[in-house]
Amino acid sequence: MCGIVGILGSKPVAIDIVDALRRLEYRGYDSAGIATVENGHLERRRAEGKLRNLETRLGTEPLSGTTGIGHTRWATHGRPIERNAHPHMNDRVAVVHNGIIENFQELREELTGKGYVFETETDTETVLHLVTYYLDQGMPPVEASRIALNRLRGAFALGLIFSDDKNLLIGARQGPPLAIGHGDGEMYLGSDAIALASLTDTITYLEDGDWAVLTRAGVQVFDLSGKTVHRTAIKSVASSLLVDKGNYRHFMLKEIHEQPEVIAHTLGNYIDMAEGAVKFPALGIDLAGVNRVTISACGTAYYAGVVAKYWIEKYARIPVEIDVASEFRYREVPLAPGGLAVFVSQSGETADTLEALRYCKKNGQVIAAIVNVRTSTIARESNTVLPTLAGPEIGVASTKAFTSQLSVLACLAIAIGRARGTIDAAKEKELVKALSEVPRHVSTMLRDESFYEGLAHEISKARDVLYLGRGVSYPIAMEGALKLKEISYIHAEGYAAGELKHGPIALIDENVPVIVVAPEDELFEKTVSNMQEVAARGGQIVLISDVAKEKAGCRLLSHIKMPKAHPFTTPLLYAVPVQLLAYHTAVVMGTDVDQPRNLAKSVTVE
Ligand code: G6P
């Protein structure tokens, strides 16, 4: 989950590499670096921390090479210090790497035994010495790279340049994505097409196991045995997706405010408002015959999946298995062939989600992917892609992607219910109408945020925050806690309100805010009882609900008044106040809202 770039250019490339890396910072921002080939030798600049530190460095110590590679890092092996920053290089080769070399220990011992000296704590440095070893045996760069690649185990995307051939750039993909860009007498390599968007819109995506030899005349793609494979170049729409913050202070805030539009846009793709019916694409499976749905995802996308479990079980009356992908993939879940498996992912590149998908595919499941990036690996490996139309999400904390995922999943629940006859046409109309009202409600909720600014000052004083919810509001409580902890660094936990008494209640005192997500649905009264339990122990309650605050029956620290809405759609609406609360608390805390510490937007390692 680092970002890598390579350019074979016709003029000095450092500025273009920095520009491409800027669009890859969502993949990590612990350090950044660039190496170029200059007059037969390699030159490098690196800097700890964000890309702007590298830019400052390049301002005083520029690079003039027309062939170069660059990297923005999310640290796995080795601390995020300059010494461990990529590119790693010696006088013959420079390498950038995204992913993990699993057999690095074994290779490190072997290469140390051969006299190669390791300077860093990274797994990447083994690639550098391995390629150098084969070069030292007299092999030309392409052959040395091929043999070295064959010896690597793990998940990686790599870019390599060589001091004695400034017309050569090698890329390799095993796991994490890698795109080749075609220019006019120039060639490019990038972790995604958006990185290359200002350079070219003609892209070839490498498949798993591919490696590529780029020269200024074009690219040749091979499999690991060295056999040429054909990969088609396509026109990418990435250039039209380039985004800026507009008038917003942070991308996260802008993305929160885009929700009425992207929810409407996404819903428009799956429902016919005029007919009051879902118009779902064929999933390659008879929905009427589906008797089990499996869902897997990570992080925020996982919570969208948990909401879907409640929806599908209630409205379509079939059991739904859901688990985080990192567990699911190793659980050896027994799956009867012919089931439907749904994978939810903003990036479409999350390594664990992808492996869970592959497991289900191998076990005869029909695969549907709910992704925001249609060209992603998860999209390409699925039987059906159900896109979320959220546009690029830049803030590391997911917001509009989440509500867009919920929009698709809500339609999926209706589609399965209709096919199975658990929902009739009148009920379908009612649910579709409820969904069609969501963008308007969200828009109203976003009109005035001054209230959240005040509340955020209170929350920012806390060391721990609890979020409670029941039924379909439980995953929203968990999502609220995740949002708060990831961007404000305040410890937060989401609990099923009924579980409170089985442990977390011990934490409650007057210093612990308890955020209660409680729309007035059939479970409201029960959640109110749990709220009383908190109040009796001095807990500071923030009630997010459509009921008047008097109905809480206890003293509240604050009441976030929600619009009245159909119970089916409350997860879509109640996601918004928990996002705003986390956002404004992070602003009060002065954290880096769009790029919180230690996190990355796209996680292509296990
Ligand atoms: C990271 C991001 C989260 C995201 C999760 C899953 O942890 O920081 O915001 O929910 O990955 O990512 P995906 O791209 O699969 O939705």
Side-chain angles (χ1 to χ4, degrees), residues 1 10 78 146 217 266 324 326 343 389 401 431 455 468 493 527 591:
M1 21 189 292
S10 46
R146 186 183 75 78
T266 303
V324 288
S326 53
F343 297 88
L389 306 181
L431 298 178
L455 180 55
L468 300 180
E493 295 301 335
T527 309
T591 58

Side-chain angles (χ1 to χ4, degrees), residues 298-301 344-348 350 353 396-398 405 486 600-601 603:
C298 299
T300 290
V344 190
S345 174
Q346 188 284 128
S347 62
T350 302
T353 310
V396 165
S398 186
Q405 287 157 356
E486 66 185 341
K601 182 116 193 104
V603 184

